[in-house]
Amino acid sequence: MSTSVPLIVRLLSSSVSVANRAGKIVRDVMSKGELGIIEKGKDDYQTEADRSAQRCIIASLSAQYPKLNIIGEEDNPDNEGDVPSDWIVLESDKDVLSLECPVALKSVKEEDIVVWVDPLDGTSEYTQGFLEHVTVLIGISVNEKPVAGVIHQPYYKNLVGSEKKMGRTIWGLQEVGVGGYTPAPPPDSLVITTTRSHSNPVVEQALSVMNASQILRVGGAGYKVLQLLEGKASVYVFASSGCKKWDTCAPEAVLNAAGGKLTDILGNFYKYGASVSHPNKTGVLAAVNDELHSYALSRIPQELKEALSNK
């Protein structure tokens, strides 16, 4: 890999290749049928796929970028010794490697970067067979702000010639744009995407005030943002503290690069520095553009905002 290419572009190109390998690990674990499910908390599960995919991602990125600060969802995924050699990915995606780096990011050093990894977003859906909801997320932040990200869908079916190829990798880079999919405009009417399995009265109240024509209940923050990117939904509303920074860093970066916006329910941006707390305590509000985001934010009642911020 050419070291003349700015670090952010090299790291994003590496992350695309690593996400592809992690996606294969996720599929391999499922095909063997031994999911190795551990319940970390209420409705919070970890599988062998979570643990193995994270080992692959962290080992691969650390081998190439040893000074990176990488924060993964699974703390110490396991201590089974060395990571298998075929899990260490040192290749780069050539299309991403050829991108022009934004001027503001050209001089970024490894020490300035925090990488947020969710090795399997939508674990509950994975264990229940809703495989299209599953994503692998790698978010890259600089100065606490998401600037690049990868969303990989292990179970997306591509038709290549006469053969079906599994998996799709979508990327975004600040000021450059997005790749790996075909962007689409939002629906003609207001369609909201929200949680499939983590609802509560406050979540439902936030949905009811939107006057949406349709509500899509799906799993995983990555998959919800894909609903926005592909024109299946206009706004993503989740008025609860259920998700974490590794759930939203990559999706926010990709959505931003596509012209969208992701904040909390109060309209504030989350920070993704190394020392921030991991929970997104004040929910998620995302939209495909500023206008739809402003509309959705204006619909949230003040008492609901206060209820969420006081939790």
Side-chain angles (χ1 to χ4, degrees):
M1 196 188 323
S2 173
T3 52
S4 64
V5 177
L7 174 62
I8 287 292
V9 173
R10 284 189 284 128
L11 177 56
L12 179 60
S13 66
S14 298
S15 298
V16 167
S17 296
V18 172
N20 289 333
R21 184 67 184 90
K24 184 177 186 305
I25 291 171
V26 169
R27 291 193 300 271
D28 289 347
V29 171
M30 176 61 76
S31 66
K32 289 173 185 170
E34 295 291 331
L35 297 188
I37 299 169
I38 296 171
E39 189 165 3
K40 298 190 291 182
K42 187 180 186 306
D43 298 325
D44 187 7
Y45 301 95
Q46 181 197 85
T47 69
E48 182 56 42
D50 295 79
R51 297 185 287 274
S52 296
Q54 178 161 308
R55 291 175 73 208
C56 161
I57 294 167
I58 291 180
S60 297
L61 293 181
S62 297
Q64 299 175 76
Y65 311 98
K67 296 178 183 175
L68 279 185
N69 190 333
I70 305 175
I71 301 174
E73 176 175 7
E74 314 307 337
D75 294 329
N76 302 316
D78 65 37
N79 296 304
E80 293 177 10
D82 295 336
V83 175
S85 60
D86 67 325
W87 288 7
I88 307 290
V89 178
L90 303 178
E91 294 82 29
S92 307
D93 183 274
K94 290 182 173 54
D95 291 337
V96 174
L97 204 58
S98 66
L99 296 174
E100 182 68 31
C101 184
V103 173
L105 298 175
K106 280 188 174 177
S107 60
V108 170
K109 299 180 176 64
E110 283 183 33
E111 300 93 320
D112 303 328
I113 298 171
V114 181
V115 176
W116 293 84
V117 174
D118 190 339
L120 200 167
D121 185 39
T123 301
S124 177
E125 285 69 29
Y126 180 69
T127 63
Q128 295 169 34
F130 294 93
L131 299 180
E132 71 276 12
H133 298 199
V134 171
T135 59
V136 176
L137 304 175
I138 303 176
I140 300 166
S141 71
V142 175
N143 297 326
E144 302 193 318
K145 180 187 174 189
V147 298
V150 174
I151 304 174
H152 173 76
Q153 289 179 282
Y155 291 96
Y156 186 87
K157 293 183 178 68
N158 292 293
L159 197 58
V160 181
S162 60
E163 294 184 6
K164 277 187 178 175
K165 178 174 171 286
M166 293 294 278
R168 172 174 73 158
T169 305
I170 289 154
W171 56 264
L173 176 60
Q174 170 187 303
E175 295 177 36
V176 172
V178 291
Y181 77 106
T182 304
D188 292 334
S189 59
L190 184 66
V191 179
I192 289 177
T193 183
T194 192
T195 182
R196 188 184 76 86
S197 54
H198 295 88
S199 195
N200 60 47
V202 177
V203 169
E204 294 304 316
Q205 184 189 354
L207 295 172
S208 68
V209 298
M210 290 291 159
N211 295 335
S213 64
Q214 186 182 1
I215 296 176
L216 305 176
R217 297 179 186 271
V218 302
Y223 190 63
K224 292 181 187 72
V225 166
L226 285 178
Q227 305 287 300
L228 303 181
L229 294 169
E230 295 195 286
K232 295 172 183 172
S234 338
V235 180
Y236 164 15
V237 181
F238 182 54
S240 178
S241 58
C243 67
K244 311 283 198 310
K245 299 292 186 304
W246 44 73
D247 294 309
T248 54
C249 185
E252 181 177 343
V254 176
L255 187 62
N256 285 349
K261 185 174 184 178
L262 187 150
T263 67
D264 68 2
I265 287 290
L266 312 178
N268 301 318
F269 289 104
Y270 283 114
K271 293 182 178 180
Y272 295 89
S275 60
V276 299
S277 65
H278 297 166
N280 290 341
K281 292 183 178 176
T282 39
V284 176
L285 184 66
V288 294
N289 56 46
D290 280 349
E291 184 182 355
L292 280 164
H293 188 278
S294 296
Y295 167 80
L297 186 61
S298 72
R299 301 293 303 176
I300 304 286
Q302 187 60 32
E303 62 268 22
L304 190 151
K305 293 178 182 177
E306 290 172 0
L308 200 55
S309 58
N310 290 334
K311 280 193 173 183

